[in-house]
Structure formats: structure tokens, C-alpha cells
């Protein structure tokens, strides 16, 4: 149980970072942390205590196997996370070129 | 699985192929991106019109990707609602692609634009056609990532700022969606939507279902820009190039937000009275707050963006009512809104193309110089304000009648009020932008090039004749199957499993 709780705390750290930090780079780091917390949670859901790797062979009976599907899904989720993070970092670089700052309180020309 | 079901993967395949081909050879051959963009979307539009007929004659179609049997493999499902969304998405995509031929001239590297545009279309088609929960998330992300890049396409100060805000908020939304999918998977041990609906129906209601509902309302609500989650939309939509604003406002928030909300709540989790109340309250809030925020705007595109929030409220209110008439009204308004809001964004793009400004206070009297833009914009404004006989009037009328029928007079009152305020704010647009005295500095303004005119005129014609969709024969094959899918609720599962045989 405690491991799920730790995972939740990690997610909350990420969300806190996104909501409260003023530096663009720190917001991006917050997003990465939150994403990893969700991925970790997905893996934890599939994990079985003392489970064995999910390889099907004729002599071993199928008991207490780790669920392999979430691992494949998390791989996809990580790749998607990579794409979004790269895009965000590229945006951050461009923003720095235009505004000469990473502070989001100074980057607000759009209002109303 | 029949031979006709082989048409299903084409919706994703053709648009992806178009995107990759454009990105590979588009840099060398300058004429190719325009052709690819229009041709690909034209083929997709043709295919989606064919599917209307297929579903009317053969019923639901299911395609198992890679030949893996349901519920193990990924399934693509073509039912009434999917067909309805496919037609809406591809119709708009085609006209917007035509419009972009001229409009995108002022940007460099058109091929990048078309690559991202087609990727976004692929993502949206994928979201509406898939029958698998995780696959839905993947397509949702494909469409979203393409849209983040497209919002920042101008790479000026405002575009970058808006794109950053949009990306951060949208990623948080996606995380909630993924978390919801994780909970659903751990609860039901399946990812196929139909199978999931079966298993959820067998188990009694539990806290997990409630938790998943909340996560999905936050996640998909953020994508649909319902009111507490709407902050990104008024920045992101005006900052994008006009064809992309039209795409984002016209179809992206609907296929990623409204469609997914409907599909998940009606067909997978199963609607109940409290969920339907939440949807109605969120819809009404968006409807009223959106229109109040819109009235005070002087930036043409920003005003339109706030109206998108308000009109999405109507759609959600209609669908949330849960009565057959409400569903038809909501879905009809979804289609109409994508037509007239795309048209309005294209108009604002045309004005910006000709005059270089989006500020309503600096315009004036443009009707004499740009008669086609002015007239089409007048048609679209009257549609969105709900003036008969334009399409917006019929759908709003149906939603209001449905509210009264369901004895929800309060909601009906707010819907009427929001409609009157919409009329007021579009009278302001018309007065300041197109009527009145022509300013001297606009004396040299010219009407926009031919392709832009073409797509605006055709969309305006659809606005005028949109009401025919309600005629009995057409309604039977287009709107009614879509609303039937939602009304069937979790019986969806049985129908999908029947479709596989």
C-alpha cells in the first residue's frame, strides 16, 4: 500500500511544480515528474508480488505472472511523453529568444 | 469481419501517408504540399460520405487490427456516431485545406504546415474511429501534439506564449485521461471499450467508477474547454494561423473533447442522473460565462474563441439532457457549430490577410471593399446568433424545446439568454468590422484570393441549407443513427460484439 502512496506523492509533487513554479524550465520538469508518476502507477498496477516474468512455455504452468500489457502501454506513453517534452523544450528556447526570460510572470502579454 | 470493414483503417492510414509523403518530398517540390493537403482531405471526405451509406445499409462495422480477435486486439468500430463525427471532421478539413492554399502563402515552409495539419486530421479520425481505450489515448495525443506545434506556427511572441500555456494545460488534461484509463484497466482487466462496458455493467457501481468519471470529466473537459477548464482556449485559438483556429475551434475540441466525453460516459461507463446533471451544469456554465466574456472583446479572433466556449456549452447541455430530442439537438448543434465557427474564423483570417489587423475598432466599412468576406461573415453571424432560417436557429430551437420537454425550464432560460447575448455581440462585430463608414486607410484593401473565397462561399451555403439535415429522410441516415448510439448506452457492447461475427 505504501508504494501506491509514494507514487501519489510523486504525482502531487509534479502537479505542485506545474501549478506553483514561475520558471518555465521548472514547469517542464514538473510535467516530466507527473508523467513518470502516472507511468510508474501503471506498472505498479500490473506488478504481482514475487511474480515471474510473463513468458509462455510448455513446461511452466501459468501462475503468479506479471501482467505484460501495461509494460507495453507504458512504453508507448513514454514515447508520447518524449514528444511532448521535446516540443515544450523547443518552445521554451524560442520563448527565451523572444522575451529574454524564463519567468512566466513576465511573459503575459495575452489578457482579457 | 466483412470485406467492407477494410475501409476503416484507411481513415487513419491515408492521412498519415499524406503527412509523411508531404514531409519527405514537400521541401523539394513546392507545388506538392498544396496538392497533397487538398487531395488527401478530399479522399477522406469521399470515404466518410461512403460510410454514411454503408452504415445505413449494413449496420455497425468492426475491424480487428492485425487479425487479433476481439477483445484481445485493437478494434476499430464504425457506428452512427463515428460516421457523424467522421463526416464533420473531414468536411471541415477539406474546406480548410483549400483555404490554406492561399492563406499560408505568407508563412514560410508550407510543407511543415501541411504535415502537421494532416497529422492532426489523422489523430482526430483515429480518436473517433477507435474502439480501444488506450488507442484512443494515443490518437488523442497525436492530434494534440500536432495542434501544439500548429498554435506556435507563427513563432512570434504571442504565438509562443499561447502555445506554451496550451501545451502545459493540455498535457495535464492528458495525464488525467491516462490515469483514468489506468484505473479502468486495473478494475476491468481489458482495454476494449465494448468488453469494458460489459464488465462494468456486471460489476455493481463502485468508488472506482466515480473516481474514473471525475478524472475523465477533468481530462476530456479540459480538451473540450468546458468552463472551469477553459483558460487555455482564448489564448490558443486566436494565436494560431486562421485555418488552424478554424480547425481547432471547429473540430478539434469536439472530436477530442465532446465526442470522447459522450463515448466514454454513454457507451462505456454508462450514464446516470448525477453524471447527466454534472454535464448539464457544466454546459450551462460554459454557455453563459463564455458569452459574457465574449461581449467585451475587441480582438476579432479572441471574441470568436470565447463564443466557441459558449457554443460548446449548448452541445454539452443538449447531450447531457439525455432525452432523444436533446441528443439530436446537441449533435446537430455540434455539426452546425463546426460549420459556422470555422467559417467565422476563416472570415477573420481573410480580414487579417487583407488589412493586417484583428482589432475591431480599427476596421470599419469593409463590406464595400470585401463583399464576399462580408456577406459570408453576415451569414455565419446570423447562424451562430440563431436567426431563422439558418442552421444555428434549428439546432438551438431543438435544444431549447428539449429542455422545456424535459421540464428543465431554468436551463431553457439560460439557453435563450445566451443566444440573445450572442446576437448582441455579433451585431457589434458586424457594425464595427463590415458596416459603417470606410476608413481612408482601407481604400486600397482588396478582396482575398480565389481559393479563400471558394471555401468561405461553400461553407456559407452549408450554413444556409443546414436545416435540411432535419428533413425526415436525411435525418434518418445522418443524425438519428448518431443519437441512437448514445441512447443505446451500454448496449453498445452487445452491438459491437455482434458486429464482429
Amino acid at each position: 500500500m505504501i508504494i501506491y502512496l509514494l507514487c501519489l506523492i510523486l504525482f502531487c509533487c509534479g502537479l505542485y511544480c506545474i501549478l506553483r513554479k514561475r520558471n518555465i524550465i521548472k514547469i517542464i520538469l514538473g510535467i516530466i515528474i507527473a508523467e513518470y508518476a502516472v507511468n510508474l502507477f501503471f506498472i505498479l498496477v500490473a506488478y504481482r508480488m514475487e511474480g515471474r516474468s510473463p513468458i509462455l512455455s510448455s513446461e511452466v504452468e501459468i501462475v503468479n505472472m506479471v501482467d505484460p500489457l501495461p509494460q507495453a502501454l507504458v512504453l508507448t506513453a513514454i514515447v508520447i511523453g518524449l514528444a511532448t517534452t521535446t516540443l515544450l523544450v523547443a518552445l521554451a528556447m524560442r520563448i527565451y529568444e523572444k522575451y529574454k526570460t524564463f519567468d512566466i510572470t513576465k511573459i503575459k502579454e495575452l489578457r482579457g | 469481419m466483412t470485406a467492407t470493414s477494410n475501409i476503416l483503417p484507411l481513415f487513419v492510414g491515408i492521412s498519415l501517408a499524406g503527412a509523411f509523403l508531404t514531409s519527405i518530398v514537400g521541401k523539394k517540390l513546392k507545388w506538392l504540399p498544396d496538392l497533397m493537403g487538398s487531395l488527401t482531405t478530399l479522399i477522406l471526405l469521399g470515404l466518410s460520405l461512403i460510410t454514411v451509406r454503408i452504415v445505413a445499409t449494413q449496420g455497425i462495422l468492426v475491424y480487428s487490427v492485425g487479425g487479433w480477435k476481439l477483445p484481445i486486439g485493437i478494434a476499430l468500430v464504425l457506428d452512427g456516431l463515428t460516421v457523424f463525427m467522421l463526416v464533420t471532421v473531414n468536411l471541415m478539413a477539406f474546406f480548410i485545406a483549400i483555404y490554406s492554399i492561399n492563406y499560408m502563402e505568407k508563412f514560410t515552409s508550407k510543407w511543415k504546415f501541411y504535415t502537421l495539419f494532416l497529422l492532426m486530421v489523422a489523430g482526430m479520425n483515429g480518436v473517433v474511429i477507435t474502439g480501444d481505450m488506450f488507442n484512443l489515448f494515443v490518437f488523442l495525443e497525436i492530434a494534440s501534439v500536432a495542434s501544439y506545434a500548429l498554435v506556435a506556427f507563427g513563432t512570434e511572441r504571442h504565438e509562443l506564449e499561447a502555445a506554451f500555456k496550451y501545451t502545459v494545460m493540455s498535457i495535464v488534461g492528458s495525464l488525467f485521461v491516462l490515469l483514468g484509463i489506468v484505473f479502468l484497466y486495473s478494475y476491468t482487466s481489458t482495454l476494449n471499450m465494448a468488453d469494458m462496458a460489459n464488465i462494468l455493467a456486471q460489476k455493481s457501481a463502485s468508488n472506482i467508477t466515480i473516481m474514473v468519471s471525475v478524472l475523465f470529466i477533468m481530462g476530456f473537459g479540459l480538451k473540450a474547454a468546458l468552463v472551469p477548464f477553459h483558460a487555455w482556449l482564448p489564448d490558443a485559438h486566436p494565436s494560431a494561423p486562421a485555418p488552424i483556429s478554424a480547425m481547432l475551434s471547429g473540430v478539434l475540441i469536439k472530436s477530442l473533447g465532446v465526442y470522447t466525453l459522450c463515448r466514454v460516459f454513454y457507451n462505456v461507463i454508462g450514464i446516470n442522473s448525477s453524471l447527466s446533471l454534472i454535464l448539464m451544469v457544466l454546459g450551462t456554465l460554459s454557455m453563459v460565462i463564455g458569452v459574457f466574456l465574449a461581449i467585451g472583446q475587441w480582438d476579432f479572433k479572441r471574441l470568436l474563441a470565447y463564443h466557441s466556449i459558449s457554443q460548446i456549452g449548448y452541445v454539452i447541455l443538449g447531450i447531457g439532457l439525455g432525452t432523444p430530442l436533446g441528443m439530436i439537438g446537441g449533435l446537430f448543434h455540434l455539426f452546425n457549430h463546426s460549420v459556422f465557427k470555422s467559417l467565422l474564423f476563416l472570415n477573420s483570417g481573410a480580414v487579417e490577410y487583407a488589412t493586417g489587423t484583428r482589432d475591431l475598432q480599427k476596421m470599419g466599412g469593409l463590406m464595400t471593399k470585401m463583399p464576399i468576406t462580408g456577406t459570408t461573415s453576415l451569414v455565419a453571424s446570423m447562424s451562430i446568433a440563431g436567426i431563422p432560417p439558418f442552421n444555428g436557429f434549428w439546432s438551438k430551437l431543438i435544444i431549447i424545446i428539449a429542455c422545456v420537454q424535459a421540464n428543465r425550464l431554468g436551463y431553457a432560460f439560460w439557453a435563450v439568454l445566451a443566444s440573445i447575448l450572442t446576437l448582441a455581440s455579433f451585431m457589434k462585430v458586424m457594425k464595427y468590422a463590415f458596416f459603417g463608414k470606410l476608413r481612408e486607410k482601407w481604400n486600397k484593401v482588396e478582396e482575398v484570393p480565389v481559393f479563400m473565397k471558394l471555401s468561405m462561399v461553400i461553407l456559407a451555403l452549408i450554413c444556409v441549407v443546414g436545416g435540411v439535415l432535419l428533413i425526415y429522410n436525411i435525418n434518418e441516415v445522418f443524425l438519428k443513427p448518431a443519437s441512437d448510439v448514445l441512447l443505446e448506452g451500454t448496449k453498445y457492447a452487445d452491438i459491437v460484439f455482434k458486429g464482429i461475427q
Side-chain angles (χ1 to χ4, degrees), chain B residues 291-482:
Chain B
V291 80
F292 269 114
L293 289 170
I295 281 188
Q297 299 298 324
W298 285 105
D299 183 331
F300 195 171
K301 284 174 92 175
R302 206 177 175 81
L303 184 143
L304 295 179
Y306 276 115
H307 275 294
S308 289
I309 299 174
S310 163
Q311 303 296 317
I312 283 294
Y314 277 98
V315 177
I316 293 289
L317 171 63
I319 291 169
L321 272 175
T323 57
L325 197 63
M327 299 278 188
I328 288 194
L331 291 173
F332 189 31
H333 199 67
L334 190 156
F335 176 78
N336 290 341
H337 177 249
S338 61
V339 177
F340 56 63
K341 187 47 69 66
S342 300
L343 177 53
L344 278 167
F345 268 115
L346 296 186
N347 288 142
S348 74
V351 171
E352 201 186 354
Y353 184 87
T355 66
T357 181
R358 300 200 312 233
D359 192 341
L360 289 173
Q361 281 165 312
K362 288 183 189 148
M363 300 173 191
L366 292 175
M367 192 65 135
T368 50
K369 291 286 172 189
M370 306 170 71
I372 291 178
T373 310
T375 319
T376 49
S377 161
L378 185 64
V379 170
S381 302
M382 291 206 279
S383 296
I384 194 174
I387 294 178
F390 297 102
N391 57 3
F393 166 73
W394 301 108
S395 48
K396 282 189 185 176
L397 186 71
I398 294 175
I399 291 173
I400 292 165
I401 291 176
C403 282
V404 175
Q405 241 182 18
N407 217 359
R408 309 268 189 182
L409 294 177
Y411 295 105
F413 167 74
W414 288 113
V416 174
L417 182 78
S419 184
I420 293 169
L421 292 173
T422 312
L423 179 63
S425 73
F426 276 96
M427 277 165 73
K428 179 178 114 177
V429 171
M430 282 296 128
K431 177 169 174 288
Y432 279 93
F434 295 105
F435 294 111
K437 229 176 88 214
L438 186 70
R439 292 183 189 227
E440 265 182 29
K441 63 174 170 181
W442 304 135
N443 271 334
K444 291 210 179 72
V445 165
E446 282 174 9
E447 183 60 277
V448 290
V450 56
F451 285 116
M452 287 165 81
K453 276 192 279 197
L454 182 72
S455 74
M456 287 194 295
V457 168
I458 297 175
L459 285 177
L461 282 179
I462 299 177
C463 278
V464 177
V465 299
V468 298
L469 284 179
L470 285 180
I471 295 171
Y472 184 74
N473 287 337
I474 304 174
N475 186 21
E476 281 293 300
V477 295
F478 191 55
L479 277 173
K480 196 152 173 301

